[in-house]
Amino acid sequence: MPASRGPGQGSDGADEPQGGVIAPVTFLPGAREAQAEREAEEAAQSVANHEADARRAENVTMHALTRRGQSRAEVAELLRRREIDPIVAEAELDRLESVGLIDDRALAADLVDRLRTRKKLGDSALRSELMRRKLERSAIDEALAEGADDDAHDDLVLELARDRARRLGGLDRSTAERRLVDFLARKGHSGSAVREAARRALDARDDELAGDASGPPARLATVHRVEFR
């Protein structure tokens, strides 16, 4: 008969761990040192990758900002497309804001001023353009509010209407007025100022046309007869 085994003994009589307890692991000589070395190398590589990403992020943003002003959201989108690590990208955005290289409120105010002056855009067109530039809504509202001036707006619309009316000389009054109002609406202008500006601009156009028609006739050129003998 097989010899009976005592409690905790295996088939060869050796003691077995009680209650399924795993025996302690014994590391080979130098194993701990090798693991620590690998972890140190991985940490160093992670730091190097982070620093390389930070340098690349700075290069990308500075190149973009030398071309034109950028909103924070525009720069963030650019960094995302370049596959910059999100943590690095956020740090770069904060850095740019801290030194004033990106400033949504200043950019919104500058765009409103330039677009009103150069393109004579109204508020609705300005808002659309600023939203396209991914500016914060609060910055847009603030810029539009600061530039609001009813008298200046009326003068701007009238100037725009007069310039456009000169190009509608061949059209009857009704057609010219409809096209002029549509043009001003596409520029972002609305309200009673548009109708008034269109009326005044076309009155000026009609007066100019009437003046041209009632002016003195053009002097006929003198014809010299040359006789050949």
Side-chain angles (χ1 to χ4, degrees):
M1 294 180 63
S4 60
R5 291 177 293 179
Q9 289 184 331
S11 59
D12 57 358
D15 290 338
E16 290 182 340
Q18 297 293 321
V21 177
I22 300 175
V25 176
T26 302
F27 285 91
L28 296 174
R32 290 184 183 277
E33 290 77 0
Q35 182 177 359
E37 186 177 345
R38 285 196 301 271
E39 290 175 353
E41 289 177 354
E42 290 174 358
Q45 185 61 49
S46 177
V47 170
N49 291 341
H50 183 89
E51 292 176 348
D53 243 10
R55 288 193 299 270
R56 192 159 70 90
E58 184 174 352
N59 289 337
V60 168
T61 56
M62 296 309 296
H63 180 70
L65 289 168
T66 55
R67 297 198 307 271
R68 69 171 189 176
Q70 303 272 337
S71 67
R72 181 181 176 107
E74 285 179 316
V75 178
E77 174 65 16
L78 176 61
L79 293 173
R80 187 193 66 77
R81 292 200 307 269
R82 296 298 181 88
E83 299 182 347
I84 301 294
D85 180 89
I87 296 175
V88 174
E90 193 67 21
E92 174 65 6
L93 291 169
D94 290 343
R95 183 189 74 81
L96 293 171
E97 277 193 332
S98 69
V99 297
L101 289 177
I102 55 175
D103 184 333
D104 276 11
R105 279 172 167 72
L107 178 60
D110 179 64
L111 286 172
V112 166
D113 181 63
R114 287 193 292 112
L115 292 173
R116 272 184 175 149
T117 303
R118 296 180 184 180
K119 295 188 176 182
K120 298 180 174 58
L121 298 184
D123 282 358
S124 63
L126 287 169
R127 183 176 294 276
S128 296
E129 178 61 18
L130 269 56
M131 290 178 67
R132 186 186 68 81
R133 296 293 303 274
K134 302 182 183 296
L135 286 157
E136 293 182 356
R137 186 174 296 276
S138 60
I140 295 174
D141 292 340
E142 184 177 309
L144 292 176
E146 287 180 354
D149 184 327
D150 290 342
D151 291 338
H153 174 260
D154 291 349
D155 291 343
L156 182 148
V157 176
L158 180 58
E159 182 182 353
L160 185 62
R162 283 176 171 169
D163 180 66
R164 188 67 176 182
R166 295 187 185 100
R167 308 179 192 182
L168 303 175
L171 298 175
D172 63 86
R173 176 72 181 228
S174 177
T175 302
E177 183 173 352
R178 184 176 66 254
R179 292 192 180 182
L180 186 52
V181 169
D182 288 345
F183 169 76
L184 295 174
R186 290 196 301 273
K187 286 286 188 176
H189 300 286
S190 59
S192 59
V194 169
R195 290 286 180 185
E196 177 64 15
R199 183 188 64 77
R200 292 176 62 184
L202 290 174
D203 285 347
R205 182 207 68 164
D206 293 347
D207 289 344
E208 289 178 2
L209 293 176
D212 292 342
S214 60
R219 180 177 297 176
L220 297 177
T222 302
V223 177
H224 297 279
R225 177 177 295 177
V226 179
E227 295 183 359
F228 294 93
R229 296 178 182 274

